[in-house]
Amino acid sequence: MADPTATNVLYLGLLVLALMALIAGLVIHSFIIGVNVSDWWRGRSLTPVDHVVFAIEISRICSQSTATLYYLLDFLTRRNLSFPLTQRIVGINNSLFNYGNFWLTSLLCIVFYLKISNLHTRLFLYLRRMMLPRTGRLIVASLLLSAANCVLPILKTITEVINGKYNKTTDNLFNNNLNVYNYSIGTFFPLLFYSISSVLLFVSLYHHTTRMKMSSNLSINLETYYSAMRFVAVTFIYNTTYFIVLFFGVFFYYLYRANLKWIIIFLEFLPVLHSSYLIYRTAKLRSQMSKVLQNVMDFLF
Protein backbone atom coordinates (compact mmCIF):
# COMPACT_ATOMS: atom_id res chain seq x y z
CA MET A 1 0.00 0.00 0.00
CA ALA A 2 1.34 3.44 -0.94
CA ASP A 3 2.53 5.78 1.78
CA PRO A 4 -0.19 8.44 2.29
CA THR A 5 2.43 11.13 2.97
CA ALA A 6 4.33 10.37 -0.25
CA THR A 7 1.07 10.30 -2.20
CA ASN A 8 0.03 13.68 -0.80
CA VAL A 9 3.44 15.14 -1.68
CA LEU A 10 3.07 13.77 -5.23
CA TYR A 11 -0.40 15.29 -5.57
CA LEU A 12 0.84 18.59 -4.19
CA GLY A 13 3.70 18.60 -6.69
CA LEU A 14 1.30 17.97 -9.56
CA LEU A 15 -0.94 20.74 -8.27
CA VAL A 16 2.00 23.15 -8.28
CA LEU A 17 2.77 22.17 -11.89
CA ALA A 18 -0.88 22.73 -12.80
CA LEU A 19 -0.80 26.21 -11.25
CA MET A 20 2.44 27.02 -13.10
CA ALA A 21 0.86 25.94 -16.39
CA LEU A 22 -2.23 28.01 -15.58
CA ILE A 23 -0.22 31.16 -14.82
CA ALA A 24 1.85 30.76 -18.00
CA GLY A 25 -1.30 30.11 -20.00
CA LEU A 26 -3.08 33.15 -18.60
CA VAL A 27 -0.12 35.35 -19.55
CA ILE A 28 0.31 33.97 -23.09
CA HIS A 29 -3.38 33.63 -23.98
CA SER A 30 -4.30 36.99 -22.47
CA PHE A 31 -1.52 38.65 -24.45
CA ILE A 32 -2.90 37.35 -27.76
CA ILE A 33 -6.43 38.34 -26.77
CA GLY A 34 -5.22 41.78 -25.69
CA VAL A 35 -3.44 42.44 -28.99
CA ASN A 36 -6.57 41.59 -31.00
CA VAL A 37 -8.80 43.66 -28.71
CA SER A 38 -6.37 46.58 -28.97
CA ASP A 39 -6.42 46.42 -32.78
CA TRP A 40 -10.20 46.29 -32.79
CA TRP A 41 -10.40 49.21 -30.35
CA ARG A 42 -8.16 51.30 -32.58
CA GLY A 43 -10.37 50.65 -35.60
CA ARG A 44 -8.02 48.26 -37.36
CA SER A 45 -9.65 45.49 -39.35
CA LEU A 46 -9.31 41.95 -38.03
CA THR A 47 -8.94 39.07 -40.46
CA PRO A 48 -11.00 35.87 -40.21
CA VAL A 49 -7.87 34.16 -38.86
CA ASP A 50 -7.66 36.78 -36.08
CA HIS A 51 -11.29 36.08 -35.12
CA VAL A 52 -10.69 32.33 -34.87
CA VAL A 53 -7.44 32.77 -32.93
CA PHE A 54 -9.25 35.11 -30.53
CA ALA A 55 -11.91 32.44 -29.87
CA ILE A 56 -9.26 29.71 -29.48
CA GLU A 57 -7.36 31.68 -26.86
CA ILE A 58 -10.53 32.29 -24.84
CA SER A 59 -11.40 28.58 -24.95
CA ARG A 60 -7.87 27.70 -23.85
CA ILE A 61 -8.05 30.04 -20.87
CA CYS A 62 -11.37 28.47 -19.83
CA SER A 63 -10.06 24.94 -20.42
CA GLN A 64 -6.91 25.49 -18.36
CA SER A 65 -8.81 27.23 -15.57
CA THR A 66 -11.41 24.44 -15.25
CA ALA A 67 -8.72 21.72 -15.46
CA THR A 68 -6.73 23.34 -12.65
CA LEU A 69 -9.88 23.83 -10.56
CA TYR A 70 -10.81 20.20 -11.15
CA TYR A 71 -7.40 19.03 -10.00
CA LEU A 72 -7.60 21.31 -6.94
CA LEU A 73 -10.97 19.78 -5.98
CA ASP A 74 -9.49 16.33 -6.48
CA PHE A 75 -6.59 17.25 -4.19
CA LEU A 76 -9.02 18.54 -1.54
CA THR A 77 -10.94 15.27 -1.80
CA ARG A 78 -7.82 13.46 -0.61
CA ARG A 79 -7.78 15.85 2.36
CA ASN A 80 -11.33 14.76 3.31
CA LEU A 81 -12.89 17.90 1.84
CA SER A 82 -15.10 16.41 -0.84
CA PHE A 83 -17.13 18.39 -3.41
CA PRO A 84 -18.31 15.61 -5.75
CA LEU A 85 -21.12 17.45 -7.53
CA THR A 86 -19.04 20.57 -8.02
CA GLN A 87 -16.20 18.42 -9.30
CA ARG A 88 -18.42 16.76 -11.87
CA ILE A 89 -19.81 20.11 -13.04
CA VAL A 90 -16.27 21.46 -13.41
CA GLY A 91 -15.30 18.30 -15.31
CA ILE A 92 -18.19 18.72 -17.74
CA ASN A 93 -17.23 22.34 -18.34
CA ASN A 94 -13.64 21.30 -18.92
CA SER A 95 -14.82 18.78 -21.52
CA LEU A 96 -16.93 21.50 -23.16
CA PHE A 97 -13.95 23.82 -23.56
CA ASN A 98 -11.71 20.96 -24.73
CA TYR A 99 -14.20 20.05 -27.45
CA GLY A 100 -14.44 23.73 -28.34
CA ASN A 101 -10.66 23.89 -28.63
CA PHE A 102 -10.72 20.92 -31.02
CA TRP A 103 -13.44 22.41 -33.22
CA LEU A 104 -11.94 25.90 -33.25
CA THR A 105 -8.46 24.60 -34.11
CA SER A 106 -10.00 22.69 -37.01
CA LEU A 107 -11.83 25.85 -38.08
CA LEU A 108 -8.54 27.78 -37.91
CA CYS A 109 -6.90 25.38 -40.34
CA ILE A 110 -9.90 25.46 -42.69
CA VAL A 111 -9.98 29.28 -42.69
CA PHE A 112 -6.21 29.40 -43.13
CA TYR A 113 -6.50 27.04 -46.09
CA LEU A 114 -9.27 29.06 -47.73
CA LYS A 115 -7.37 32.29 -47.18
CA ILE A 116 -3.91 31.46 -48.56
CA SER A 117 -4.42 28.54 -50.94
CA ASN A 118 -4.06 29.39 -54.63
CA LEU A 119 -6.65 26.96 -55.98
CA HIS A 120 -9.09 28.34 -58.54
CA THR A 121 -11.65 25.58 -58.83
CA ARG A 122 -15.30 26.54 -58.75
CA LEU A 123 -15.97 24.65 -55.49
CA PHE A 124 -12.98 26.22 -53.72
CA LEU A 125 -13.91 29.75 -54.80
CA TYR A 126 -17.49 29.15 -53.69
CA LEU A 127 -16.36 27.94 -50.26
CA ARG A 128 -14.00 30.87 -49.88
CA ARG A 129 -16.73 33.35 -50.83
CA MET A 130 -19.29 31.74 -48.51
CA MET A 131 -17.19 30.88 -45.42
CA LEU A 132 -14.64 33.66 -44.90
CA PRO A 133 -17.22 36.48 -44.49
CA ARG A 134 -19.16 34.25 -42.06
CA THR A 135 -16.32 33.32 -39.71
CA GLY A 136 -18.21 34.62 -36.69
CA ARG A 137 -21.14 32.33 -37.40
CA LEU A 138 -18.79 29.38 -37.88
CA ILE A 139 -17.22 30.10 -34.49
CA VAL A 140 -20.67 30.07 -32.86
CA ALA A 141 -21.52 26.85 -34.72
CA SER A 142 -18.31 25.24 -33.43
CA LEU A 143 -19.19 26.15 -29.86
CA LEU A 144 -22.74 24.80 -30.31
CA LEU A 145 -21.34 21.49 -31.58
CA SER A 146 -19.10 21.35 -28.50
CA ALA A 147 -22.04 22.07 -26.23
CA ALA A 148 -24.17 19.42 -27.94
CA ASN A 149 -21.55 16.83 -27.07
CA CYS A 150 -21.96 17.63 -23.35
CA VAL A 151 -25.75 17.36 -23.29
CA LEU A 152 -25.81 13.68 -22.28
CA PRO A 153 -23.44 14.08 -19.28
CA ILE A 154 -25.44 17.08 -18.10
CA LEU A 155 -28.74 15.22 -18.38
CA LYS A 156 -27.23 12.20 -16.62
CA THR A 157 -26.02 14.36 -13.72
CA ILE A 158 -29.37 16.16 -13.39
CA THR A 159 -31.26 12.85 -13.44
CA GLU A 160 -29.02 11.33 -10.77
CA VAL A 161 -29.35 14.38 -8.51
CA ILE A 162 -33.16 14.50 -8.87
CA ASN A 163 -33.53 10.76 -8.21
CA GLY A 164 -31.06 10.83 -5.32
CA LYS A 165 -28.81 8.27 -7.05
CA TYR A 166 -25.80 10.48 -7.61
CA ASN A 167 -22.62 8.39 -7.28
CA LYS A 168 -20.08 10.29 -5.22
CA THR A 169 -17.31 7.69 -5.47
CA THR A 170 -16.69 7.31 -9.18
CA ASP A 171 -16.50 10.89 -10.35
CA ASN A 172 -13.56 11.87 -12.55
CA LEU A 173 -12.94 13.13 -16.04
CA PHE A 174 -12.82 9.60 -17.51
CA ASN A 175 -15.38 7.93 -15.30
CA ASN A 176 -17.70 5.84 -17.47
CA ASN A 177 -18.68 4.49 -20.86
CA LEU A 178 -20.64 7.66 -21.62
CA ASN A 179 -17.47 9.73 -21.42
CA VAL A 180 -15.71 7.32 -23.78
CA TYR A 181 -18.55 7.72 -26.28
CA ASN A 182 -18.62 11.51 -25.92
CA TYR A 183 -14.87 11.76 -26.33
CA SER A 184 -14.87 9.57 -29.44
CA ILE A 185 -17.65 11.56 -31.13
CA GLY A 186 -16.49 14.95 -29.86
CA THR A 187 -12.94 14.62 -31.16
CA PHE A 188 -13.20 12.37 -34.21
CA PHE A 189 -15.02 14.75 -36.56
CA PRO A 190 -13.00 17.92 -35.77
CA LEU A 191 -9.79 15.90 -36.06
CA LEU A 192 -10.98 14.49 -39.40
CA PHE A 193 -11.80 17.94 -40.80
CA TYR A 194 -8.53 19.29 -39.45
CA SER A 195 -6.45 16.49 -40.96
CA ILE A 196 -8.06 16.87 -44.39
CA SER A 197 -7.62 20.65 -44.49
CA SER A 198 -4.04 20.41 -43.14
CA VAL A 199 -2.99 17.87 -45.77
CA LEU A 200 -4.64 19.87 -48.56
CA LEU A 201 -3.03 23.11 -47.40
CA PHE A 202 0.41 21.56 -47.00
CA VAL A 203 0.26 19.91 -50.44
CA SER A 204 -0.99 23.13 -52.02
CA LEU A 205 1.85 25.16 -50.48
CA TYR A 206 4.41 22.55 -51.44
CA HIS A 207 3.36 22.47 -55.09
CA HIS A 208 3.19 26.25 -55.21
CA THR A 209 6.73 26.66 -53.85
CA THR A 210 7.98 23.98 -56.24
CA ARG A 211 6.55 25.85 -59.22
CA MET A 212 8.01 29.13 -57.98
CA LYS A 213 11.45 27.54 -57.61
CA MET A 214 11.32 26.31 -61.18
CA SER A 215 10.40 29.76 -62.50
CA SER A 216 13.07 32.11 -63.79
CA ASN A 217 12.16 34.86 -61.34
CA LEU A 218 14.92 34.69 -58.71
CA SER A 219 13.55 37.63 -56.73
CA ILE A 220 10.67 35.60 -55.29
CA ASN A 221 10.89 35.22 -51.52
CA LEU A 222 9.77 31.74 -50.50
CA GLU A 223 10.31 32.21 -46.77
CA THR A 224 6.67 33.22 -46.25
CA TYR A 225 5.48 29.96 -47.77
CA TYR A 226 7.99 27.90 -45.80
CA SER A 227 6.88 29.65 -42.63
CA ALA A 228 3.24 28.80 -43.39
CA MET A 229 4.19 25.16 -44.03
CA ARG A 230 6.06 24.96 -40.72
CA PHE A 231 3.08 26.49 -38.91
CA VAL A 232 0.70 23.93 -40.44
CA ALA A 233 3.06 21.07 -39.55
CA VAL A 234 3.57 22.20 -35.94
CA THR A 235 -0.16 22.79 -35.42
CA PHE A 236 -0.91 19.34 -36.84
CA ILE A 237 1.61 17.76 -34.45
CA TYR A 238 0.11 19.69 -31.53
CA ASN A 239 -3.46 18.70 -32.34
CA THR A 240 -2.57 15.05 -32.96
CA THR A 241 -0.50 14.81 -29.77
CA TYR A 242 -3.32 16.34 -27.74
CA PHE A 243 -5.79 13.88 -29.23
CA ILE A 244 -3.55 10.82 -28.65
CA VAL A 245 -2.67 11.71 -25.05
CA LEU A 246 -6.28 12.41 -24.09
CA PHE A 247 -7.37 9.25 -25.93
CA PHE A 248 -4.80 7.29 -23.94
CA GLY A 249 -6.08 8.71 -20.64
CA VAL A 250 -9.73 8.00 -21.42
CA PHE A 251 -9.27 4.41 -22.61
CA PHE A 252 -6.63 3.53 -20.01
CA TYR A 253 -9.16 4.38 -17.34
CA TYR A 254 -11.89 2.55 -19.24
CA LEU A 255 -9.76 -0.64 -19.37
CA TYR A 256 -7.87 -0.56 -16.06
CA ARG A 257 -9.78 1.98 -13.90
CA ALA A 258 -6.52 3.89 -13.35
CA ASN A 259 -7.01 7.65 -13.26
CA LEU A 260 -3.83 9.18 -14.71
CA LYS A 261 -3.70 12.61 -13.11
CA TRP A 262 -0.47 13.56 -14.85
CA ILE A 263 -2.26 13.54 -18.19
CA ILE A 264 -4.36 16.53 -17.15
CA ILE A 265 -1.18 18.40 -16.17
CA PHE A 266 0.60 17.50 -19.42
CA LEU A 267 -2.36 18.64 -21.50
CA GLU A 268 -2.28 22.03 -19.77
CA PHE A 269 1.23 22.73 -21.07
CA LEU A 270 0.50 21.87 -24.71
CA PRO A 271 -1.81 24.86 -25.46
CA VAL A 272 0.70 27.21 -23.81
CA LEU A 273 3.49 25.93 -26.06
CA HIS A 274 1.31 26.17 -29.17
CA SER A 275 0.17 29.73 -28.35
CA SER A 276 3.81 30.69 -27.74
CA TYR A 277 4.69 29.31 -31.17
CA LEU A 278 1.75 31.25 -32.62
CA ILE A 279 3.22 34.46 -31.20
CA TYR A 280 6.62 33.58 -32.64
CA ARG A 281 5.22 32.90 -36.11
CA THR A 282 2.80 35.86 -36.36
CA ALA A 283 4.50 39.13 -37.25
CA LYS A 284 1.94 41.31 -35.47
CA LEU A 285 2.08 39.31 -32.25
CA ARG A 286 5.86 38.98 -32.37
CA SER A 287 6.27 42.75 -32.78
CA GLN A 288 3.97 43.50 -29.85
CA MET A 289 5.73 40.92 -27.68
CA SER A 290 9.09 42.51 -28.48
CA LYS A 291 7.74 45.89 -27.39
CA VAL A 292 6.38 44.43 -24.15
CA LEU A 293 9.65 42.69 -23.34
CA GLN A 294 11.60 45.85 -24.15
CA ASN A 295 9.38 47.89 -21.82
CA VAL A 296 9.84 45.32 -19.07
CA MET A 297 13.62 45.40 -19.50
CA ASP A 298 13.62 49.20 -19.43
CA PHE A 299 11.53 49.17 -16.26
CA LEU A 300 13.79 46.67 -14.52
CA PHE A 301 17.17 48.06 -15.55
Side-chain angles (χ1 to χ4, degrees):
M1 186 174 179
D3 183 9
T5 303
T7 303
N8 289 333
V9 171
L10 176 62
Y11 269 68
L12 184 59
L14 292 175
L15 179 59
V16 171
L17 290 175
L19 292 174
M20 291 173 58
L22 176 62
I23 293 173
L26 290 176
V27 172
I28 297 298
H29 304 323
S30 299
F31 171 79
I32 297 176
I33 293 173
V35 170
N36 286 321
V37 171
S38 177
D39 287 345
W40 172 78
W41 185 261
R42 294 174 182 176
R44 299 173 184 172
S45 61
L46 297 179
T47 66
V49 173
D50 291 331
H51 292 153
V52 180
V53 168
F54 180 82
I56 288 176
E57 298 305 321
I58 292 178
S59 71
R60 287 178 176 176
I61 287 180
C62 297
S63 176
Q64 282 196 266
S65 301
T66 52
T68 305
L69 178 58
Y70 183 92
Y71 195 83
L72 176 62
L73 293 173
D74 190 70
F75 176 77
L76 294 176
T77 300
R78 300 189 59 84
R79 309 292 295 178
N80 297 323
L81 296 172
S82 181
F83 307 95
L85 183 58
T86 302
Q87 190 173 358
R88 177 177 289 193
I89 294 174
V90 172
I92 292 174
N93 280 276
N94 179 257
S95 299
L96 168 65
F97 295 124
N98 276 332
Y99 296 141
N101 192 19
F102 272 113
W103 278 106
L104 290 172
T105 306
S106 300
L107 179 61
L108 173 65
C109 191
I110 294 172
V111 170
F112 199 52
Y113 172 65
L114 294 174
K115 185 176 177 62
I116 70 174
S117 181
N118 61 342
L119 291 179
H120 297 287
T121 62
R122 183 172 299 179
L123 176 61
F124 177 82
L125 295 176
Y126 173 78
L127 291 175
R128 173 186 284 179
R129 187 172 64 253
M130 293 297 295
M131 294 183 67
L132 290 183
R134 296 172 174 81
T135 305
R137 298 179 185 179
L138 294 175
I139 292 173
V140 174
S142 300
L143 298 178
L144 291 177
L145 288 172
S146 306
N149 210 62
C150 296
V151 169
L152 290 179
I154 293 174
L155 294 178
K156 181 176 182 293
T157 301
I158 293 174
T159 303
E160 289 180 353
V161 171
I162 293 176
N163 296 333
K165 298 179 180 180
Y166 178 69
N167 190 345
K168 300 181 180 181
T169 62
T170 62
D171 191 65
N172 63 71
L173 287 178
F174 318 126
N175 65 347
N176 50 37
N177 301 352
L178 180 60
N179 281 359
V180 175
Y181 167 78
N182 283 337
Y183 172 77
S184 301
I185 299 299
T187 58
F188 173 76
F189 289 106
L191 187 68
L192 176 64
F193 295 146
Y194 177 82
S195 301
I196 294 174
S197 57
S198 295
V199 171
L200 290 175
L201 177 57
F202 195 88
V203 171
S204 175
L205 290 172
Y206 176 77
H207 285 299
H208 187 62
T209 53
T210 302
R211 288 195 300 268
M212 294 178 71
K213 278 184 179 180
M214 296 175 62
S215 67
S216 58
N217 188 359
L218 300 179
S219 63
I220 298 175
N221 184 12
L222 299 179
E223 182 57 32
T224 302
Y225 297 95
Y226 291 142
S227 178
M229 293 171 67
R230 285 193 292 268
F231 175 77
V232 173
V234 169
T235 304
F236 180 81
I237 294 172
Y238 154 75
N239 219 31
T240 306
T241 303
Y242 199 101
F243 173 83
I244 292 175
V245 172
L246 195 56
F247 178 90
F248 175 76
V250 170
F251 281 89
F252 195 88
Y253 183 86
Y254 177 73
L255 294 176
Y256 302 105
R257 290 299 185 266
N259 193 8
L260 305 180
K261 302 291 192 303
W262 61 268
I263 286 183
I264 305 175
I265 311 302
F266 177 76
L267 291 178
E268 286 197 63
F269 281 98
L270 285 181
V272 179
L273 295 175
H274 183 258
S275 294
S276 301
Y277 182 79
L278 183 63
I279 293 174
Y280 172 70
R281 280 298 173 191
T282 306
K284 177 180 68 174
L285 298 176
R286 186 170 62 248
S287 175
Q288 293 295 328
M289 177 60 75
S290 298
K291 292 180 181 179
V292 171
L293 294 178
Q294 185 62 45
N295 291 333
V296 172
M297 296 296 292
D298 293 341
F299 175 77
L300 292 177
F301 301 104

